[in-house]
Amino acid sequence: MTIRTILTEPNKLLRKISESVERVGAEEKKLMDDMLDTMYEAPGIGLAAIQIGVPKRIIVIDISRDENKKEPRYFVNPIIKNKNEEKSIYEEGCLSVPEQFAEIERPNSCEVQYLDYDGKKQVLRAEGLLATCIQHEMDHLEGILFIDYLSKLKRSMIIKKLSKIKINREIL
Ligand code: ZN
């Protein structure tokens, strides 16, 4: 397993729409292993393949936040079947938008259909943080970041800040 570099905004790849996976083979499994390692190392609770530069519809999630009781979840080609009308608000962050947080409103539960690590079809009813996390990660597959839900002004301030950080990093 390999820790991969996480792309950060602004980066055109993060805006790319990811492509469906035809079958879950050895290459996809290796990618999922790398994604999980990269996510744990960061640390984060979710990661989409495009965040490490691979435009495939794959996400990994572990909301357990428990070193000793890891609960990794793998979603290939996830599709949301049902969304609850009721909304909940979480303060979201993103490994591709470092050190920025904002309150985002999303449906508080959803049903998601996907292929698991072994390529088997699954359906999951998710609530609370898991539902929010799935929706956040699935947005990445469409090239959407959580800051896109903010006002134009707020978003451009964040991107400006991140660009500065990036430039500084390159100078040093
Ligand atoms: Zn994210």
Side-chain angles (χ1 to χ4, degrees):
M1 292 195 239
T2 320
I3 309 275
R4 312 267 284 260
T5 306
I6 297 173
L7 307 178
T8 56
E9 175 80 345
N11 186 308
K12 274 190 191 147
L13 265 175
L14 290 171
R15 300 307 188 167
K16 203 173 155 74
I17 294 174
S18 295
E19 282 167 21
S20 294
V21 174
E22 276 186 24
R23 64 176 276 273
V24 183
E27 196 184 311
E28 284 71 28
K29 286 193 165 87
K30 164 88 171 80
L31 175 64
M32 287 190 267
D33 293 343
D34 286 356
M35 284 169 66
L36 201 72
D37 269 7
T38 305
M39 181 189 84
Y40 285 138
E41 170 77 14
I45 60 168
L47 191 78
I50 193 63
Q51 291 180 274
I52 56 167
V54 181
K56 286 187 179 178
R57 301 187 82 82
I58 298 178
I59 63 181
V60 296
I61 290 175
D62 187 344
I63 58 164
S64 71
R65 290 199 186 99
D66 187 343
E67 189 68 28
N68 302 312
K69 228 180 100 199
K70 288 180 176 166
E71 285 171 23
R73 295 170 189 269
Y74 310 87
F75 301 83
V76 180
N77 298 341
I79 298 168
I80 288 183
K81 284 292 177 188
N82 281 302
K83 279 186 190 176
N84 197 332
E85 294 284 306
E86 274 174 54
K87 304 274 173 41
S88 63
I89 297 174
Y90 277 92
E91 188 168 51
E92 295 186 21
C94 178
L95 294 173
S96 293
V97 189
E99 285 158 48
Q100 305 300 317
F101 298 89
E103 288 186 347
I104 306 292
E105 190 183 270
R106 298 183 190 269
N108 71 0
S109 71
C110 62
E111 195 175 277
V112 57
Q113 200 180 79
Y114 60 99
L115 301 177
D116 64 14
Y117 189 84
D118 296 311
K120 279 196 202 129
K121 209 169 176 181
Q122 302 280 0
V123 179
L124 175 76
R125 175 116 206 127
E127 289 180 359
L129 178 59
L130 181 59
T132 288
C133 192
I134 288 171
Q135 292 172 71
H136 173 118
E137 301 313 326
M138 283 182 67
D139 273 353
H140 280 297
L141 306 182
E142 308 301 330
I144 298 168
L145 299 174
F146 80 93
I147 52 171
D148 298 349
Y149 296 110
L150 307 176
S151 70
K152 233 178 171 175
L153 181 71
K154 218 169 172 185
R155 185 170 70 236
S156 61
M157 270 168 58
I158 287 176
I159 293 173
K160 222 178 189 174
K161 220 190 268 175
L162 292 172
S163 305
K164 260 186 208 159
I165 293 168
K166 245 186 195 173
I167 291 163
N168 285 340
R169 272 189 193 146
E170 279 163 19
I171 291 167
L172 293 169

